[in-house]
Amino acid sequence: MTLAVETGLWELDRTASTVAARHKTMWGLVTVKGAFTSISGQGEVKSDGTAHGTITLDAASLDTKNAKRDTHLRSADFFDVENHPEITFAVRTAEAGPDDTVQVVGQLTVRGISRPQSFAARVAQANSDAVTLAAEFTVDRDQFGMGWNQMNMMRGLTTVTATLRLTRTAA
């Protein structure tokens, strides 16, 4: 597949994009999965082929299909949505790589704490007016002030999976 992404402004297609997270709990025996139901984003592709932009998640929109757990995840033990309603990923650079990949370098901000994050995304679909990227990367929640861990039940890293469809809005 040839990456045929035009220069200009791009907007996230909220209906065709997903951001999900999964983390092992209960001493690694149970995997908790959830998806953010409210996401937005935009970006720009420059004439040199590089891109930058921002993806924003409504932290309170994380849905794990368990109301009690979701309430706890919104509390100060985890996302602290009252004080930090958004999670953002600011893409500093995104450059086409080999084999339909895009090397993404940016800054992830959760609970007001920003950390560098980089990963390779896969181009799932691309034409002159739309591109869909698929990515998976891990995050250490302790680095974002989410160290709550009753009885040491939660170990390891949180895996974030994203499928992002962006459509061209202007040249």
Side-chain angles (χ1 to χ4, degrees):
M1 174 188 322
T2 300
L3 190 55
V5 177
E6 299 289 332
T7 59
L9 301 177
W10 292 72
E11 180 133 359
L12 185 77
D13 180 346
R14 296 172 185 223
T15 62
S17 299
T18 60
V19 176
R22 68 181 186 272
H23 192 97
K24 292 205 178 278
T25 187
M26 300 294 289
W27 306 281
L29 300 173
V30 175
T31 300
V32 173
K33 299 175 184 178
F36 292 91
T37 60
S38 179
I39 62 176
S40 61
Q42 66 283 326
E44 181 180 8
V45 176
K46 298 181 179 183
S47 58
D48 66 1
T50 62
H52 64 91
T54 303
I55 302 297
T56 303
L57 309 174
D58 176 350
S61 76
L62 181 61
D63 182 5
T64 68
K65 308 295 185 208
N66 180 311
K68 184 177 178 182
R69 176 174 47 225
D70 292 347
T71 298
H72 189 204
L73 289 170
R74 292 181 185 103
S75 77
D77 286 342
F78 290 96
F79 290 108
D80 192 13
V81 300
E82 188 173 313
N83 295 305
H84 306 285
E86 295 179 339
I87 297 168
T88 60
F89 184 78
V91 177
R92 301 293 183 229
T93 61
E95 297 181 11
D99 300 325
D100 299 324
T101 62
V102 176
Q103 299 304 313
V104 179
V105 176
Q107 188 157 312
L108 179 63
T109 302
V110 182
R111 290 177 54 111
I113 300 169
S114 297
R115 300 277 187 245
Q117 183 75 49
S118 60
F119 54 88
R122 182 180 57 81
V123 179
Q125 182 274 332
N127 61 44
S128 61
D129 294 318
V131 64
T132 302
L133 300 172
E136 183 173 284
F137 58 92
T138 58
V139 175
D140 182 348
R141 65 188 184 87
D142 288 341
Q143 291 186 345
F144 296 96
M146 294 190 290
W148 186 89
N149 193 359
Q150 186 176 33
M151 297 173 51
N152 200 30
M153 288 191 297
M154 298 176 70
R155 297 180 183 155
L157 302 173
T158 300
T159 301
V160 177
T161 305
T163 301
L164 305 173
R165 180 169 174 80
L166 295 133
T167 57
R168 190 163 172 260
T169 60

